[in-house]
Amino acid sequence: MNWEFWSKQLDEEELVENGGYEEYSSSRAAGMNGNGPTKLVDPLEDPVPGVGTYEDFNTIDWVREKSKDRDRHREITNKSRQSTVALLHSVSDAFSGWLLMLLVGLMSGALAGGIDIAAHWLTDMKGGVCLIGFWFNHEHCCWTSNETTFQERDRCPQWQSWAELITGTSEGAFAYIVNYLMYIFWALLFSFLAVTLVRAFAPYACGSGIPEIKTILSGFIIRGYLGKWTLIIKTITLVLAVSSGLSLGKEGPLVHVACCCANILCHLFTKYRKNEAKRREVLSAAAAVGVSVAFGAPIGGVLFSLEEVSYYFPLKTLWRSFFAALVAAFTLRSINPFGNSRLVLFYVEFHAPWHLVELAPFILLGIFGGLWGALFIRANIAWCRRRKSTRLGHYPVIEVLVVAALTAVLAFPNSYTRMSGAELISELFNDCSLLDSSQLCGYKQPTNTSDTGAGNSLADRPAGKGLYTALWQLALALVFKMLITVITFGMKVPSGLFIPSMAIGAIAGRLLGVGMEQLAYYNHDWFIFKGWCSPGADCITPGLYAMVGAAACLGGVTRMTVSLVVIMFELTGGLEYIVPLMAATMTSKWVADAFGREGIYEAHIRLNGYPFLEPKEEFEHSSLTVDVMRPRRSDPALAVLTQEGMTVGEVEALVESTHYSGFPVVVSKESQRLVGFALRRDLLISIDNARKRQEGIVSASQVVFTEHAPSQAPDAPPPLRLRGIMDLSPFTVTDHTPMDITVDIFRKLGLRQCLVTHNGRLLGIITKKDILKHMAQIANRDPDSILFN
């Protein structure tokens, strides 16, 4: 995020003082209470433009938005009985949600296909160029060639490395140096373009986007975060960042891209354009679409949105998410970006059974994934905090270039770090066939043909020289990936975490898998192998261990469980391996939770100071609302409006002299009996509008919130009636309500503020920010970190 830009926006003395969050339950009841007008947002007879809308960096009023939608729906239903035109309007209104989902699925699927194809092409460009057409990637270039051999299927005359183009030869030290330098040049160029475009045109396009989308789905407004410029720049720079060879993936950012598509398409439909709560239902479905196109896992995408991202997920959203994810997956399949008729790069072909004994190494991989997840979160958050608090954060372009250069210099000599993350995972998931030329399949060949196992699977064989070389390279790649991912995630380029986490787990899993395979080969008479692993049998599948390791590490970092297992078996097609995946994922979550309950996205939400009440976090303290509410004993009295007796000038002075987002309305200063709640924004807009449109409204005019205007002197200016903008049933709790119940009310209803009363008299107010500060204090964290920073 462009934090400097955000902090400027918020410097006006805490836009969120009482909180940006305080605007919450405000005009909700204008339509819910029988006394109020039926149209929620009409403060006067005619609706005032802007009343009922929200400022940037504020939280929406969930209850008011839902109430507004119910009123709109009731009106359409009543009218539909009166004429055919109204009936058709009612049908189109009901159908508009499904049409929007169709458009979101089509647009996201098409963009994801384009991103996949472009990223594959630019990644290959670091190694060479196709002579028959520079727009072909390596694989497509050699498809039509008749001169490829099975051992060197990647070599064809049509594709030339940079050394062959420049020096005329692909062998020797000079050719190696030329290729090395060209690899670094392209990596630096791509990363420079990515960070420059982000900085110049769309500061919100950096990072993964999932922490911000979780915050937006909880009701917070970040204008421009899901806008058209963010979409265009994120799509272009995501391709460049992935192609530069940095240790990042495109999966998280694709969720952001899909949500941008949904937000832009929402403007085509009045129902979604004018209602923030309805729009968030669409964004929840779009998050499912993002994962669907990232992994080719539509069901996993729906579960991901439900488990990991969404704050409010009604049954209707579940069905629509399912439909949108299906459309997006179908669109991606039609584009066929990988040319293998699959939605993903790493579809596995092996289906060898696993044995009960193997649960022990699978659980071991779960423990490794949990430890790595906890370590990664702590290290990455420490690095990001350092970036924010030191001069490092002032030079995002230099930081990206230095990390890109470091990555390229260290990655090129090792073939496993040189290839893209997706290719590496595909290689590690792969099972060795008899004709496989991969180094990972460098076993000693069987001396007789009876050593082949059932079907086309091979019996376990002793490791050869090629495999030992591959294992050393993989061990180095593991250390390199673990270190470089910590400093890469959070830079000012689009960066996902799924692929790097899976790559780390897949390397660890493959190393363990080969170790188990060799152990079984040389010790098949041990009691743990007896009965199921006889000589000449295919007992251990190293690719399966890589798969389980990938799930364990991703689970440790994100704390996903159900959705992760479903994504993994949709991703690989390995339906028989659900139990190993479940065992490793659950172990990984338990181990990581022992070191801290936060996943990487929650940790980044807290680091950035977003007003997000984590639904999974338990509130275990025994405090009461009176301990948390404001004003405290030493504070000045609560700023309130009276239902009559205040002039327009006095109301304007009160609003100007404070930074609160709303004001309780009481009967009088003496009685402090609560009447309702009025939003700052609605007050300002209504007063400004009345001065322009109503005759005689001056600073001396009385402001009344009662149903009937009080009697006035004949020469007095006409009163300004603002009952229409007041919330007549604001949420209240008593001063002795336990805080755990209050926190639950805030979470489940998405409140921004709640008024505290004693025997009907107003005592104070609790905002979402107060609760977050209180929870930070209990956890021995700095309470002032709960501020947008």
Side-chain angles (χ1 to χ4, degrees), residues 184 188 400-412 480 484 487:
I184 295 168
L188 288 173
V400 169
L401 287 176
V402 168
V403 174
L406 187 67
T407 306
V409 168
L410 295 175
F412 186 83
F480 168 72
I484 209 77
I487 59 172

Side-chain angles (χ1 to χ4, degrees), residues 127-342:
V129 71
C130 187
L131 299 181
I132 52 173
F134 73 90
W135 55 88
F136 288 119
N137 66 32
H138 194 161
E139 190 180 354
H140 289 167
C141 190
C142 292
W143 261 0
T144 51
S145 174
N146 298 321
E147 297 162 65
T148 51
T149 63
F150 199 85
Q151 286 300 316
E152 293 187 333
R153 66 191 82 172
D154 292 337
R155 298 288 293 274
C156 65
Q158 289 87 343
W159 178 269
Q160 291 209 333
S161 68
W162 293 109
E164 285 176 283
L165 276 177
I166 295 165
T167 66
T169 175
S170 61
E171 306 296 325
F174 185 59
Y176 182 83
I177 290 166
V178 169
N179 282 332
Y180 201 160
L181 292 174
M182 287 304 289
Y183 182 90
I184 295 168
F185 165 75
W186 287 112
L188 288 173
L189 178 66
F190 293 155
S191 55
F192 175 73
L193 286 173
V195 70
T196 310
L197 286 170
V198 165
R199 200 163 181 222
F201 298 104
Y204 287 155
C206 69
S208 150
I210 293 179
E212 287 74 20
I213 283 160
K214 281 187 78 156
T215 310
I216 289 169
L217 288 178
S218 76
F220 198 58
I221 288 177
I222 307 176
R223 299 235 181 272
Y225 196 82
L226 301 174
K228 58 181 182 296
W229 271 109
T230 307
L231 174 64
I232 294 164
I233 298 302
K234 186 116 188 181
T235 305
I236 296 166
T237 54
L238 180 54
V239 172
L240 291 166
V242 170
S243 308
S244 69
L246 287 165
S247 181
L248 46 83
K250 60 183 184 301
E251 285 62 29
L254 275 173
V255 173
H256 187 183
V257 166
C259 286
C260 287
C261 295
N263 187 55
I264 290 162
L265 291 168
C266 275
H267 287 86
L268 303 176
F269 301 86
T270 315
K271 174 163 84 170
Y272 296 102
R273 184 174 70 245
K274 292 190 172 177
N275 193 300
E276 292 287 352
K278 293 294 287 178
R279 194 184 303 185
R280 273 154 182 74
E281 290 178 24
V282 177
L283 295 178
S284 285
V289 169
V291 174
S292 173
V293 292
F295 287 119
I299 302 169
V302 174
L303 290 172
F304 171 81
S305 179
L306 175 61
E307 181 184 4
E308 190 61 26
V309 186
S310 296
Y311 202 83
Y312 172 67
F313 202 84
L315 201 57
K316 183 170 61 179
T317 305
L318 180 73
W319 300 330
R320 287 185 176 166
S321 303
F322 187 73
F323 173 67
L326 160 78
V327 171
F330 175 76
T331 308
L332 190 63
R333 170 68 183 78
S334 306
I335 294 170
N336 195 12
F338 303 115
N340 60 357
S341 301
R342 306 262 184 223

Side-chain angles (χ1 to χ4, degrees), residues 584-601:
T585 307
M586 207 64 243
T587 309
S588 150
K589 179 175 167 53
W590 284 335
V591 170
D593 278 353
F595 293 92
R597 301 296 295 273
E598 286 181 328
I600 187 70
Y601 302 129

Side-chain angles (χ1 to χ4, degrees), residues 511-764:
L511 292 172
L512 182 64
V514 172
M516 283 293 292
E517 183 186 45
Q518 295 306 303
L519 192 69
Y521 178 80
Y522 287 111
N523 304 287
H524 50 75
D525 52 347
W526 281 13
F527 78 96
I528 55 167
F529 298 119
K530 260 189 183 166
W532 63 276
C533 188
S534 53
D538 180 20
C539 309
I540 308 283
T541 311
L544 167 60
Y545 285 74
M547 217 163 95
V548 171
C553 276
L554 186 52
V557 171
T558 61
R559 309 298 157 85
M560 287 154 54
T561 50
V562 184
S563 53
L564 175 58
V565 171
V566 175
I567 286 170
M568 285 305 294
F569 83 71
E570 280 190 277
L571 187 64
T572 57
L575 203 61
E576 346 16 40
Y577 305 127
I578 287 181
V579 173
L581 288 170
M582 286 171 77
T585 307
M586 207 64 243
T587 309
S588 150
K589 179 175 167 53
W590 284 335
V591 170
D593 278 353
F595 293 92
R597 301 296 295 273
E598 286 181 328
I600 187 70
Y601 302 129
E602 290 78 25
H604 272 269
I605 284 171
R606 189 158 56 77
L607 176 75
N608 296 330
Y610 298 137
F612 182 75
L613 262 178
E614 177 54 62
K616 300 169 196 164
E617 201 177 323
E618 291 294 321
F619 186 88
E620 293 167 348
H621 209 258
S622 57
S623 45
L624 300 174
T625 48
V626 73
D627 305 324
V628 181
M629 73 173 196
R630 283 181 295 158
R632 306 277 161 80
R633 283 188 178 85
S634 56
D635 294 347
L638 192 65
V640 295
L641 301 167
T642 55
Q643 67 175 357
E644 55 187 56
M646 289 182 81
T647 63
V648 169
E650 286 170 342
V651 171
E652 283 180 321
L654 177 68
V655 171
E656 289 302 316
S657 65
T658 60
H659 293 271
Y660 304 140
S661 298
F663 302 90
V665 180
V666 293
V667 173
S668 68
K669 289 274 172 73
E670 293 74 37
S671 79
Q672 291 286 313
R673 295 278 171 194
L674 182 64
V675 177
F677 192 87
L679 288 186
R680 172 199 192 88
R681 180 178 171 83
D682 290 356
L683 281 168
L684 288 172
I685 289 171
S686 301
I687 291 171
D688 187 50
N689 181 70
R691 281 186 185 278
K692 289 174 186 168
R693 288 172 54 185
Q694 277 181 262
E695 259 184 69
I697 297 293
V698 291
S699 294
S701 300
Q702 270 215 8
V703 175
V704 292
F705 290 96
T706 51
E707 220 168 334
H708 306 291
S711 53
Q712 286 185 290
D715 57 341
L720 173 58
R721 298 179 59 187
L722 292 181
R723 187 177 177 83
I725 66 164
M726 182 172 65
D727 178 358
L728 291 165
S729 59
F731 279 96
T732 58
V733 291
T734 68
D735 49 343
H736 287 292
T737 307
M739 269 310 291
D740 54 345
I741 292 174
T742 309
V743 170
D744 263 355
I745 292 170
F746 268 82
R747 275 185 188 141
K748 295 199 166 101
L749 294 176
L751 297 188
R752 286 177 301 189
Q753 86 284 312
C754 188
L755 300 172
V756 183
T757 61
H758 178 76
N759 293 339
R761 292 184 73 239
L762 179 68
L763 284 187

Side-chain angles (χ1 to χ4, degrees), residues 36 66 107 155 268 274 345 348 388 448 470 481 491 493 504 534 604 640 684 773 787:
K66 297 304 287 180
M107 188 172 172
R155 298 288 293 274
L268 303 176
K274 292 190 172 177
L345 260 180
V348 300
K388 286 163 96 70
N448 56 33
K481 287 265 181 199
M491 288 197 308
V493 289
I504 287 164
S534 53
H604 272 269
V640 295
L684 288 172
K773 277 189 164 185
L787 236 198

